[in-house]
Amino acid sequence: MATVNQVYDQTAGKPPVRQGRMPGSKGRKFDWRGLRRHVPAQYLWPILMLLGICFGCIVGVLVISTSSQDRLQLARERQGLATALDTAVALTIRDLQDYAKWDEAVRHIARDLDPAWMADNVVAYLGETQGYTYIFTLDGADRTVFASQKGKTVRLDARRVLGQGFSKGVARVRTMTPTGAPIIGGYSRAGDDLYVYSVAQIVPLTDKVRLGKGPVSLLVVAQRIDGAFLARMAADESLQGLRLHLDRPPPAPRIELPSDNAPLDAWLSWHPAQPGTALRRDALPATLAVALLTIIAAGIVVKRGARTVEALQVSEARARYQALHDALTGLPNRRALMERISQAVAAMEPVRLLYMDLDGFKDANDLYGHGAGDKLLRQAAQRITAALPYAFAARAGGDEFAVLVRGNHAQGQAHMAEAVIDAFATPFSTGDFWVDLGVSIGCVDRPAHSMDDEDDIMRHADAAMYAAKADGKRCWRSYRPEMDAHHHVRVELEADLREAIEGNAIDVVYQPIVDAHSRAIVAVEALARWRHMRHGDVPPDVFIPLAERSGLISALGQAVLQRACRDVLPLPVSLAVNLSPAQFWDSRLGAEISEALDQTGFPAERLELEITEQFLLRRPEAAADILRELRLLGISIALDDFGAGYASIGYLRQLSFDRLKIDKQFIAPISERGSAAELVGVIAALGRLLELEVTAEGVETPLQAELACRAGCSQLQGWHFGRPMPIEILCANLAGDDAATPLAAAVPAT
């Protein structure tokens, strides 16, 4: 059996294969002595007998089941044909019913026979359209007073044409009362001709017409059962060879035509379908062939029985390789890394671990998409393994990698870490863009006789890695015990932030936005604040990145949005809310915003979402789709920090914003340099040309406010008009409460 090290040895790069030919390889001769060893002679005949019994039973079941299938098919055909004969009578009765029970028929047939009316109203449909062979009218004495054959008026006697069975049917219908539906139908025979007929009393449909005294007239339709009739019935019932037999019953299968009067001595026969016989005819040879092949295959299976164990060993090794390797980069995964560290600890070997996180990967993944992110991860894995080819490299998860060296090594921590950092000095290529990534590395050395286990080693390396990030990134730090405190604080903050979000403990403050001309508050921007019970106020630039790294940013954004919508709903102002990049690219963004609006009742037209340009313009097509979905909700979109990135006029048109917010770096020098005021005026003019509202951010003095207004900005925002404040103070200012704290000094900025 292959060992763990053989399975995922990084230098091999693939599952181990036992030396020599693989099972089933060409040129390998079968070991007949091995066959006799695995299958002694006393077992061979019982195996063959078992196969014979099994296939004998299969053949027997096949014969029995197919015969039963033939019988069931014959019963279905017999039942279907009997139903078809009854249906033919029922259809004849239905066709005649509407003409016999009819006021006009009483007037033009029963009272005074009008042959022309009969031809135009009865024969035209029943004879020519429905195809009845005969149509007769009988008077009260059962004399034929009108006859039509195939649509033409003729002189015929109905009883003579249709036979004795019809005459008895006439007698039966005479016994019925005129009220209701005095009509019957059935089959009748006259010589060698067989008919399906219906006879009915001609009675009124309404009270507007009354019958005369004495027996009523009768209306008769009849259709001869000929080849065309049988062909239609055979097609409807999917029967083959349907034939009519008179006087002598044919061989089975057959069915006798029903008669309520005298026997007709008429039968129908057909060639029954035999699906079971056909199946047996087709399947039996194949079954016998399969039986023969199974016997041969059984021999082959027995021959290869000795190879099964070897194949299972290879399969197990391959499955273990896949379980211990990352599918994207091909490197060993975190589980494999932990196993390696555990082995070294158990063997009392010195261990050096370099734990690293890619700097800038998250932003690149958001900007260029997950496909580009996958390419970056693969390239990073290649550079790490190339920088330290003698070490065990693994992908620990996400954009985190690790390098492990067991035993004493000539190279020190600094040499190994700097080799990896140097490997990241060259920009990465995604195919369409070049991306500059760095790496932050935490290093830890575990002496041979240390009491630290694999979890301690990983925790120490993680703490050192975060220390490198805290010291500016793109560097390395060696683990020191005091780093545990910082690591503990970070883990604690993440847990506390999750608890604060779930417990609605995130505060929201509001910074006023004023109209540039009237200086009245027309909108507020919602800003998240977090006061920790032990650490005090945690800055947004600390807890927001923490929320993004820990996957809490969507929950945080949803909590802030719902709180702000409820607070601002009763106020006469609009609401602006910032979106982080992680929120913007979340596929659930539209649904979450719609849910917040529905739950709070906040009007969508009063909500404006602010999005920073640098997170949109690298993927404008995808961003345009998201913005289009948001705008369908009725929300306005503002491009925040305009000018700090690299927006173009084409992108502004493509993404269809509603507002530009000029970055404060353009507003700060506006009162000192004339060129700065001109630049703000150009940006405002561009906004007007694109039919966008323009807001100046970072206004801190009256002169800045005046110059931004002259430049063409429609709204102003900054400390001059108010710092972020709680909702209570905002409401007091909007209400004009003189006792309220002045806007500009409401709440110190965090």
Side-chain angles (χ1 to χ4, degrees):
M1 180 66 66
T3 66
V4 172
N5 293 344
Q6 288 176 322
V7 171
Y8 61 86
D9 191 348
Q10 182 182 344
T11 59
K14 59 181 67 178
V17 177
R18 186 172 294 187
Q19 296 297 322
R21 293 192 179 106
M22 288 292 292
S25 60
K26 294 183 178 179
R28 183 168 180 172
K29 295 182 179 179
F30 178 71
D31 185 0
W32 289 98
R33 293 181 179 178
L35 172 63
R36 290 194 296 270
R37 184 171 60 252
H38 286 288
V39 186
Q42 63 266 30
Y43 297 139
L44 183 59
W45 286 110
I47 290 175
L48 295 177
M49 184 179 299
L50 178 62
L51 291 174
I53 293 173
C54 290
F55 280 98
C57 292
I58 291 174
V59 172
V61 170
L62 177 64
V63 172
I64 294 172
S65 62
T66 53
S67 299
S68 176
Q69 189 175 3
D70 285 344
R71 290 193 298 272
L72 290 175
Q73 178 65 23
L74 178 60
R76 283 194 293 268
E77 291 178 351
R78 187 185 304 277
Q79 181 62 40
L81 185 55
T83 302
L85 292 172
D86 294 340
T87 301
V89 174
L91 291 176
T92 304
I93 293 174
R94 187 197 65 183
D95 287 341
L96 183 61
Q97 179 75 46
D98 293 338
Y99 287 88
K101 192 176 183 67
W102 188 17
D103 291 352
E104 293 300 314
V106 174
R107 293 189 181 100
H108 295 282
I109 301 176
R111 289 182 178 176
D112 187 9
L113 179 64
D114 185 347
W117 186 90
M118 277 286 295
D120 293 341
N121 293 276
V122 180
V123 176
Y125 177 75
L126 294 177
E128 298 176 6
T129 302
Q130 295 297 93
Y132 284 100
T133 310
Y134 294 103
I135 300 173
F136 297 104
T137 300
L138 279 62
D139 61 11
D142 295 338
R143 295 188 297 267
T144 303
V145 295
F146 178 86
S148 172
Q149 181 181 13
K150 296 183 179 180
K152 296 181 180 180
T153 304
V154 295
R155 289 182 176 274
L156 292 173
D157 180 64
R159 289 180 295 180
R160 182 173 299 175
V161 171
L162 300 182
Q164 183 181 4
F166 167 72
S167 298
K168 292 184 178 181
V170 170
R172 284 178 55 207
V173 82
R174 287 291 186 191
T175 64
M176 298 180 180
T177 60
T179 59
I183 184 172
I184 66 168
Y187 292 92
S188 179
R189 178 179 174 182
D192 292 336
D193 294 325
L194 195 68
Y195 299 93
V196 57
Y197 74 93
S198 180
V199 56
Q201 297 182 25
I202 301 176
V203 295
L205 180 63
T206 68
D207 295 337
K208 297 178 181 180
V209 178
R210 295 185 179 276
L211 292 170
K213 295 182 180 181
V216 299
S217 299
L218 304 179
L219 188 60
V220 180
V221 294
Q223 185 173 9
R224 185 169 179 267
I225 299 178
D226 53 12
F229 182 92
L230 296 177
R232 288 194 300 272
M233 183 173 290
D236 292 341
E237 299 301 323
S238 300
L239 299 175
Q240 299 292 329
L242 185 63
R243 293 182 56 191
L244 176 65
H245 301 267
L246 301 175
D247 300 329
R248 180 180 301 174
R254 62 179 179 270
I255 187 170
E256 187 172 6
L257 268 71
S259 174
D260 294 336
N261 303 307
L264 299 177
D265 291 334
W267 297 265
L268 292 176
S269 69
W270 68 98
H271 302 309
Q274 294 182 307
T277 300
L279 176 62
R280 184 168 60 248
R281 183 172 54 250
D282 295 338
L284 190 57
T287 303
L288 296 176
V290 169
L292 179 61
L293 292 176
T294 302
I295 294 173
I296 297 174
I300 296 175
V301 169
V302 172
K303 290 179 183 179
R304 297 191 176 182
R307 304 177 191 175
T308 302
V309 174
E310 184 178 1
L312 289 175
Q313 290 175 340
V314 173
S315 177
E316 180 183 356
R318 183 179 294 109
R320 183 163 179 79
Y321 174 87
Q322 294 172 349
L324 295 173
H325 280 72
D326 172 52
L328 177 64
T329 62
L331 292 180
N333 57 21
R334 188 182 188 91
R335 177 183 173 187
L337 174 65
M338 296 300 288
E339 285 192 7
R340 277 294 180 98
I341 299 175
S342 178
Q343 291 170 8
V345 169
M348 303 295 289
E349 296 178 352
V351 171
R352 174 174 295 163
L353 179 65
L354 276 65
Y355 199 80
M356 59 198 72
D357 181 84
L358 304 186
D359 299 326
F361 173 78
K362 187 174 186 346
D363 291 343
N365 194 53
D366 289 339
L367 287 173
Y368 305 113
H370 296 295
D374 291 346
K375 293 180 181 178
L376 295 176
L377 290 174
R378 284 192 289 266
Q379 293 179 49
Q382 293 168 1
R383 294 193 185 189
I384 292 170
T385 55
L388 302 175
Y390 50 83
F392 178 87
R395 182 185 177 193
D399 59 341
E400 296 179 350
F401 294 84
V403 173
L404 175 70
V405 176
R406 295 172 58 177
N408 296 313
H409 199 274
Q411 306 295 344
Q413 281 187 3
H415 183 276
M416 295 177 62
E418 292 295 342
V420 176
I421 293 174
D422 291 343
F424 280 71
T426 305
F428 290 69
S429 172
T430 66
D432 297 324
F433 304 98
W434 290 94
V435 179
D436 185 23
L437 294 182
V439 61
S440 298
I441 305 175
C443 303
V444 60
D445 281 343
R446 177 194 181 275
H449 298 285
S450 171
M451 297 301 293
D452 292 341
D453 60 13
E454 57 270 20
D455 293 329
D456 296 328
I457 295 172
M458 289 291 291
R459 186 176 65 257
H460 295 164
D462 186 62
M465 183 267 290
Y466 272 97
K469 281 190 171 293
D471 289 345
K473 302 181 180 181
R474 299 177 184 254
C475 61
W476 68 277
R477 293 291 179 267
S478 182
Y479 169 75
R480 299 188 306 275
E482 56 266 26
M483 292 179 179
D484 284 337
H486 299 287
H487 179 77
H488 178 74
V489 169
R490 181 180 60 84
V491 174
E492 181 187 71
L493 276 178
E494 181 178 323
D496 291 344
L497 178 59
R498 185 184 305 274
E499 183 178 344
I501 294 173
E502 294 175 352
N504 295 320
I506 299 297
D507 294 326
V508 180
V509 295
Y510 303 91
Q511 185 173 30
I513 303 172
V514 303
D515 181 81
H517 298 285
S518 68
R519 305 300 166 89
I521 300 176
V522 294
V524 292
E525 180 177 351
L527 301 169
R529 295 292 185 265
W530 182 27
R531 179 178 293 275
H532 195 275
M533 64 180 66
R534 290 184 300 278
H535 302 290
D537 290 329
V538 182
D541 58 356
V542 172
F543 73 80
I544 290 179
L546 180 63
E548 291 179 334
R549 288 196 303 269
S550 58
L552 297 173
I553 189 62
S554 294
L556 175 61
Q558 186 76 343
V560 171
L561 178 61
Q562 293 200 11
R563 170 78 174 273
C565 287
R566 290 191 180 95
D567 286 349
V568 179
L569 178 61
L571 304 181
V573 294
S574 297
L575 172 65
V577 179
N578 284 287
L579 287 182
S580 76
Q583 281 181 278
F584 183 79
W585 296 114
D586 191 334
S587 60
R588 300 168 296 177
L589 175 63
E592 290 179 349
I593 293 177
S594 178
E595 179 183 354
L597 294 176
D598 291 341
Q599 290 183 356
T600 61
F602 194 84
E605 61 272 12
R606 288 174 55 193
L607 178 62
E608 184 173 83
L609 299 179
E610 297 184 1
I611 305 168
T612 305
E613 63 181 85
Q614 62 177 336
F615 297 107
L616 303 179
L617 304 181
R618 290 291 183 88
R619 298 168 62 193
E621 293 81 7
D625 292 338
I626 297 174
L627 294 179
R628 190 177 301 112
E629 179 185 0
L630 296 178
R631 291 173 68 89
L632 288 175
L633 298 175
I635 298 170
S636 299
I637 307 296
L639 183 60
D640 198 14
D641 299 335
F642 179 75
Y646 31 78
S648 71
I649 296 177
Y651 283 154
L652 293 179
R653 287 178 174 174
Q654 178 181 357
L655 297 178
S656 301
F657 295 102
D658 299 289
R659 178 181 303 278
L660 294 181
K661 300 192 74 172
I662 302 177
D663 190 77
K664 61 183 179 181
Q665 67 177 330
F666 296 98
I667 303 300
I670 194 173
S671 58
E672 301 173 2
R673 298 196 304 271
S675 59
E678 293 177 359
L679 181 57
V680 173
V682 170
I683 297 176
L686 174 63
R688 289 193 299 272
L689 287 174
L690 296 175
E691 299 181 352
L692 303 178
E693 296 290 331
V694 179
T695 298
E697 293 185 292
V699 178
E700 298 182 359
T701 66
L703 182 56
Q704 289 176 349
E706 182 62 28
L707 293 176
C709 180
R710 291 179 186 178
C713 297
S714 59
Q715 292 184 359
L716 308 175
Q717 180 180 357
W719 286 6
H720 176 62
F721 303 104
R723 298 189 180 190
M725 62 189 69
I727 187 64
E728 296 82 7
I729 297 179
L730 175 66
C731 292
N733 281 286
L734 288 173
D737 188 347
D738 295 336
T741 305
L743 280 174
V747 175
T750 302

